[in-house]
Amino acid sequence: MREKTHRLNLSAVSEFVLVGLSDAPETRLLLFVLFLLVYSATVASNAALLVAIRADPHLRSPMYFFLSHLALLDLLCPTITVPKMLGALLLEHREISFLGCLFQHFSLIAAVGTEIFLLAAMAYDRYVAVCRPLRYPSAVSAELCARLAAGSWAGGLLNSLLHTSLLFTLSFCGPNRIQQYYCDFPPVLALSCSSTRGTELVILVVAGALGSSACVVTVVSYVYILLEILCRSSPGIWHKALSTCGSHLTVVCLFYGTTICTYVRPSFAYSPHRDRVVSMLYGMLTPLLNPIIYSLRNKEVKCALRRVISRVRSAL
């Protein structure tokens, strides 16, 4: 009976409070306008890229198939966190229920995990396009693309299910103020009253194995691409490879750089102020920059966007 009562007391936290980015009213209003503009631009740019890929018959290659999934993920990631943050800035409604926090955490980890696997699939696609161009149509078939995309989403969901289910095994009895503008894993873990070593170890092993395997595929693909470029002496090969892989490589470096700074470290190294800045990069700026990077460096995407805009204008 004492153990049951003790567990009930430890699980007394029924909601969390998301600490705002600023307590000054004038600063909150400025941040609200700024983040609303960034979020609106992110939604508009990714939606335009998604519509252009789906509507234009010229963008039917595997690269654009994967790019459409990336645009969809870049729509989901900020939508999971930013509306709640905007409400906290404008209405000062910072409370979020325990289940709501877990759902937000599950959705975000699923989107981030899916993107890791999707970037690996895109790297493999670029490897075959550069190193095996004659076998590209048969090697990267529509069936294989569908399987890689489905596997990416399944891997992200399973990884997120592991993270979220382990949070249910922890007890929360003390402070309930999350030092972040959304329910991320490190700040929620820092509020637990029970020992988190076992949880951290399981997540480090499983999520580390999944993430590192996808990272290895990405790195090895680009190593082979680099070796293939160095072995060839044909003129214009560097420009062709840069136009083929430059956009994806830029997105990979931006995504992995910000994600590693947030998740690949022990809990005692958690810094709320630093994590807020880094989470802003991969949670808001990266989804905004991805469609811009692909649009600016890709003539086919720019032409498709122009055709979509011209159709909309003629329809209006």
Side-chain angles (χ1 to χ4, degrees):
M1 288 295 295
R2 289 181 179 179
E3 290 182 358
K4 290 182 179 180
T5 305
H6 184 59
R7 290 178 181 177
L8 288 174
N9 290 334
L10 288 178
S11 304
V13 174
S14 60
E15 67 177 15
F16 294 103
V17 178
L18 301 174
V19 175
L21 300 176
S22 176
D23 292 329
E26 61 277 4
T27 307
R28 287 205 311 270
L29 182 59
L30 178 62
L31 291 175
F32 173 82
V33 174
L34 176 62
F35 292 140
L36 179 61
L37 292 176
V38 172
Y39 177 64
S40 301
T42 302
V43 172
S45 58
N46 282 285
L49 181 60
L50 192 59
V51 170
I53 293 174
R54 294 297 184 184
D56 198 297
H58 299 87
L59 305 181
R60 289 291 183 267
S61 66
M63 181 180 71
Y64 297 111
F65 172 78
F66 292 126
L67 185 55
S68 65
H69 283 266
L70 182 63
L72 180 59
L73 287 171
D74 287 337
L75 276 172
L76 292 177
C77 278
T79 303
I80 294 169
T81 60
V82 175
K84 181 64 178 178
M85 180 190 66
L86 294 177
L89 288 172
L90 185 64
L91 306 175
E92 299 187 34
H93 182 66
R94 305 178 182 181
E95 294 78 14
I96 183 171
S97 65
F98 183 79
L99 292 179
C101 183
L102 291 183
F103 178 76
Q104 190 182 62
H105 169 266
F106 173 82
S107 303
L108 183 63
I109 296 296
V112 173
T114 302
E115 189 162 347
I116 291 176
F117 293 116
L118 186 65
L119 290 176
M122 295 175 73
Y124 172 75
D125 170 72
R126 294 300 85 206
Y127 155 74
V128 179
V130 174
C131 301
R132 302 289 186 270
L134 298 179
R135 297 178 54 189
Y136 182 73
S138 59
V140 188
S141 61
E143 182 180 358
L144 177 63
C145 292
R147 289 181 178 179
L148 290 175
S152 299
W153 285 93
L157 290 173
L158 289 176
N159 180 45
S160 180
L161 185 62
L162 170 68
H163 278 72
T164 309
S165 61
L166 288 176
L167 283 179
F168 275 105
T169 64
L170 301 177
S171 301
F172 298 91
C173 59
N176 65 338
R177 294 173 63 85
I178 298 178
Q179 299 295 325
Q180 185 58 278
Y181 66 91
Y182 63 94
C183 289
D184 200 8
F185 190 76
V188 173
L189 201 66
L191 297 178
S192 176
C193 301
S194 55
S195 176
T196 61
R197 289 184 179 180
T199 301
E200 289 185 74
L201 181 60
V202 172
I203 289 178
L204 181 63
V205 172
V206 178
L210 294 176
S212 60
S213 61
C215 183
V216 166
V217 172
T218 304
V219 172
V220 170
S221 298
Y222 276 101
V223 168
Y224 274 105
I225 291 173
L226 180 61
L227 293 177
E228 182 71 18
I229 294 172
L230 294 176
C231 291
R232 295 183 186 180
S233 58
S234 58
I237 184 64
W238 281 99
H239 180 268
K240 182 180 179 180
L242 185 63
S243 63
T244 304
C245 308
S247 300
H248 180 251
L249 187 58
T250 304
V251 171
V252 166
C253 294
L254 186 63
F255 176 81
Y256 272 102
T258 54
T259 305
I260 288 174
C261 291
T262 302
Y263 295 106
V264 186
R265 51 161 177 71
S267 60
F268 62 80
Y270 170 67
S271 174
H273 300 291
R274 185 196 65 183
D275 277 26
R276 288 183 201 175
V277 176
V278 176
S279 61
M280 285 289 177
L281 293 177
Y282 84 83
M284 294 188 65
L285 291 183
T286 302
L288 174 63
L289 293 177
N290 285 351
I292 296 176
I293 292 172
Y294 278 105
S295 299
L296 291 179
R297 300 187 59 88
N298 195 307
K299 293 181 179 180
E300 293 180 341
V301 173
K302 287 190 288 186
C303 293
L305 288 174
R306 292 193 190 101
R307 285 191 287 267
V308 170
I309 294 174
S310 62
R311 291 177 185 175
V312 172
R313 286 181 178 177
S314 61
L316 293 177

